Amino acid sequence: MAHNKIDVPFSTVALTATVSKSTVGSKAANNICVKLTEIAVSFDGATSSNAPVVCEQMQSTFATNGPGTNSTTVTPSKRDTGRAETVQSTHAKNWTAEPTVLTLQRSIDIGQFNGAMHNIYTFDSPFIVIGGQGFVHRLTSPNNVNTSGFLTGEE
Amino acid sequence: MSQDLIKRADELRSRFKVLESVKNSGYHDEDRDHVRTDRHIAPQKNGFPPASQHLVMFTDYIEENVHFAGRDAEKVMACLKEWESENKGLDFFSATGTDKKLIIRIIPRLKVVDGVLTIRLSEWNDVLSVLVAKKVGLQGRAYIDDGSPMPGE
């Protein structure tokens, strides 16, 4: 199997003020890495003076709270729906208890009023999710706000 | 194995039963989105059963399997069989690879053994697509208890 491209969408996940939340994440199967190629996030904040949301791209071992535990499982959408290969990695959104162990890889502030980010990794530098381990996108907002977005990856 | 999984699944559902009686837990009938207050957030207000009635999957990342036990296993099988019968007349020329694989390979091979339904993780996302389409409602725990907190703890 190769080049099985997938999207993992999440819609209107509620962020509570000052509480860090992993909004979307993926865990690779034991012997297959996942190349993350895109991440997008947007917010529905209505107050322009609110401080931005801290968006963190984290590696996760998923020692606890793997996808599906204290989170909502997501069916990844295959780009090529004609293919019979099953996506091997597991995905979830809206963690109610944070997964462990998290290691920060990248961080960026995004405004919650009309704020949006679409991070397209360069072709030669995808975010590699190691086999058996994972990735989460963790957000911390100073105010209550909702977020929607997606991950795009490839097995 | 089955009795232990059934017990753990029931404990999780009992925990959700408690949360459904607590306002602002995210599972109460009246809980709403903080920002878009027109939106209810509890599963039972969004087309799913209450979390206390969800099926509980146990994911084994070492052996790469997903298990359902007891009544959950029977419900998943019934759900898959129902989906299969609804899609009997599927046009294989235009069907998705996932649908074809479910009908030809995955569903015919699945069966409940000693009260446990085991689905290979390598086929799980296909089965999950049916369970999501059928809106059964799913919660999960690690197959070998990894110390993840119970919801709301």
Side-chain angles (χ1 to χ4, degrees):
Chain A
M1 183 194 313
H3 210 73
N4 200 5
K5 286 196 84 89
I6 52 164
D7 290 303
V8 184
F10 60 97
S11 301
T12 325
V13 171
L15 302 179
T16 305
T18 72
V19 178
S20 295
K21 179 186 275 281
S22 291
T23 52
V24 66
S26 302
K27 181 176 167 82
N30 279 341
N31 293 304
I32 302 170
C33 88
V34 178
K35 283 199 300 188
L36 291 183
T37 52
E38 298 175 44
I39 299 171
V41 60
S42 61
F43 302 99
D44 66 355
T47 308
S48 60
S49 57
N50 281 351
V53 178
V54 180
C55 306
E56 297 170 308
Q57 298 171 21
M58 322 278 285
Q59 297 199 27
S60 176
T61 64
F62 286 121
T64 61
N65 293 321
T69 300
N70 289 318
S71 57
T72 307
T73 23
V74 177
T75 317
S77 305
K78 286 191 279 193
R79 289 279 178 88
D80 181 354
T81 56
R83 293 173 72 145
E85 294 103 312
T86 307
V87 177
Q88 312 282 300
S89 46
T90 51
H91 310 268
K93 62 181 180 181
N94 197 12
W95 266 263
T96 54
E98 285 298 285
T100 59
V101 175
L102 300 178
T103 306
L104 179 62
Q105 197 77 26
R106 286 182 168 186
S107 181
I108 191 168
D109 286 350
I110 308 284
Q112 41 179 291
F113 176 69
N114 286 342
M117 171 192 76
H118 187 179
N119 186 171
I120 304 172
Y121 289 101
T122 56
F123 181 75
D124 63 348
S125 180
F127 192 114
I128 299 293
V129 182
I130 306 162
Q133 299 207 10
F135 167 90
V136 295
H137 199 212
R138 187 174 75 170
L139 306 180
T140 310
S141 170
N143 307 89
N144 292 337
V145 69
N146 292 314
T147 178
S148 299
F150 60 84
L151 292 179
T152 299
E154 179 187 322
E155 292 187 336
Chain B
M1 174 170 88
S2 142
Q3 289 309 313
D4 177 50
L5 296 183
I6 291 169
K7 182 167 169 273
R8 289 176 62 200
D10 287 342
E11 282 170 1
L12 183 62
R13 280 188 280 260
S14 302
R15 178 69 194 154
F16 280 119
K17 191 76 186 165
V18 172
L19 292 174
E20 284 161 9
S21 65
V22 179
K23 274 192 178 179
N24 297 320
S25 64
Y27 300 94
H28 189 278
D29 275 353
E30 292 173 24
D31 286 354
R32 289 170 183 268
D33 187 309
H34 291 307
V35 181
R36 299 186 190 177
T37 50
D38 57 316
R39 284 183 69 236
H40 286 279
I41 56 174
Q44 65 270 26
K45 294 287 188 177
N46 286 287
F48 291 89
S52 60
Q53 294 171 25
H54 285 190
L55 308 184
V56 180
M57 60 179 196
F58 292 92
T59 311
D60 180 352
Y61 284 110
I62 297 167
E63 297 294 331
E64 302 213 305
N65 291 313
V66 173
H67 304 282
F68 290 90
R71 278 182 299 130
D72 288 357
E74 301 292 349
K75 281 184 188 170
V76 170
M77 271 317 300
C79 189
L80 291 170
K81 290 291 180 191
E82 186 183 298
W83 181 90
E84 186 184 31
S85 65
E86 286 167 2
N87 288 278
K88 248 186 187 143
L90 198 69
D91 173 12
F92 270 28
F93 187 73
S94 58
T96 65
T98 296
D99 289 354
K100 282 189 275 196
K101 190 174 179 182
L102 278 161
I103 288 172
I104 296 169
R105 189 181 295 177
I106 300 176
I107 297 177
R109 212 181 48 223
L110 289 176
K111 58 183 172 206
V112 179
V113 178
D114 297 331
V116 177
L117 174 66
T118 299
I119 301 160
R120 286 191 271 188
L121 203 56
S122 61
E123 293 174 340
W124 166 242
N125 277 311
D126 291 337
V127 173
L128 176 62
S129 70
V130 174
L131 301 180
V132 169
K134 289 285 181 188
K135 289 192 171 259
V136 294
L138 274 181
Q139 300 294 335
R141 303 298 287 175
Y143 174 63
I144 297 166
D145 194 354
D146 60 4
S148 295
M150 292 293 267
E153 280 182 355

